Amino acid sequence: MPDFTIYTESKADVKFLNDFIAEVFNNTLPENNFDTLLSWSGYKAGGVLKTEIQQNFDEGNETIIILDADADFKGREREVSADFAAYKIPIRLFLFPDNLNVGNIETLLAGIATDRKLMDCFLEYEKCVALYPKKLNDSRIYSYLDMLLLDNWKDEKGKDLRREEFRNYRNKNHWDLKHTDLNPLKEFLASFL
């Protein structure tokens, strides 16, 4: 078993990472190699370091943090790095979409969507409504799958395959897990896998 834990914002991120790791590295990580923070700053709920992260460190395991950069890549990187330096816990940090630019996992997913014509429709629509305060980033991916799955949006157990935690990112008709946009993530994860 690997001696690290990957902390992400949500179960949706875990699902994407598991599918990506399985596809690209031909490896499946056990569930206990992941923990969710429920927000980008969930590692410090109430200003106190999440107990599981301290325990992971105390057991000699590596701490890997994968979060969204959102609107301020450098600011997010500085804050998370400073927080963990103050906790005296070394981390390996990756910020979606590419560990370099602003955005989030949905930004990355829009880039690796295989039906470019359909995704471009959503991107154009977002430009049209950009002056409105509500951002459509999260709903873009749901709507993309809604169009592709048509009447087959439920699996045999009744799970909604459009929802983040049930998506099949290994479906080559929907996603390209070998896309160059994923190279930074692949390089980052390669040293652990």
Side-chain angles (χ1 to χ4, degrees), residues 13-188:
D13 296 346
V14 171
K15 175 66 169 115
F16 170 74
L17 289 167
N18 256 331
D19 282 359
F20 178 72
I21 290 166
E23 185 71 25
V24 174
F25 295 99
N26 199 27
N27 192 350
T28 303
L29 293 178
E31 209 172 286
N32 63 353
N33 277 106
F34 291 96
D35 195 359
T36 56
L37 303 171
L38 306 178
S39 74
W40 77 264
S41 62
Y43 62 85
K44 60 178 182 178
V48 177
L49 181 66
K50 189 173 179 182
T51 306
E52 292 86 352
I53 296 175
Q54 184 66 54
Q55 183 178 352
N56 182 68
F57 174 71
D58 292 344
E59 291 173 358
N61 297 322
E62 192 157 11
T63 302
I64 302 167
I65 308 288
I66 300 179
L67 306 170
D68 291 338
D70 291 328
D72 184 5
F73 174 84
K74 287 293 183 191
R76 175 72 36 88
E77 182 181 48
R78 270 191 307 273
E79 181 173 350
V80 174
S81 296
D83 285 344
F84 278 94
Y87 295 134
K88 296 181 174 47
I89 294 180
I91 62 167
R92 298 284 303 270
L93 176 64
F94 185 92
L95 298 176
F96 285 129
D98 58 7
N99 215 28
L100 186 64
N101 293 296
V102 298
N104 53 29
I105 191 169
E106 289 80 14
T107 307
L108 177 63
L109 293 174
I112 67 167
T114 54
D115 190 327
R116 295 311 316 160
K117 184 177 178 184
L118 178 58
M119 184 53 67
D120 289 346
C121 289
F122 290 113
L123 297 174
E124 282 300 314
Y125 171 70
E126 288 175 21
K127 287 179 188 175
C128 290
V129 298
L131 296 177
Y132 292 88
K134 176 142 176 69
K135 300 296 179 202
L136 298 173
N137 206 13
D138 296 345
S139 63
R140 167 197 321 147
I141 304 303
Y142 180 92
S143 297
Y144 169 76
L145 285 175
D146 190 42
M147 295 299 291
L148 294 177
L149 293 170
L150 300 172
D151 293 332
N152 301 315
W153 55 271
K154 281 188 181 180
D155 71 2
E156 60 280 349
K157 295 178 183 175
K159 294 179 181 171
D160 185 341
L161 300 173
R162 299 167 296 188
R163 293 181 46 106
E164 298 118 334
E165 64 270 22
F166 304 124
R167 292 176 185 158
N168 178 5
Y169 293 105
R170 296 182 79 182
N171 183 331
K172 291 173 178 35
N173 293 319
H174 303 164
W175 312 106
D176 178 5
L177 293 182
K178 309 274 183 171
H179 195 284
T180 56
D181 285 3
L182 288 164
N183 285 346
L185 180 62
K186 180 181 177 181
E187 290 168 17
F188 176 79

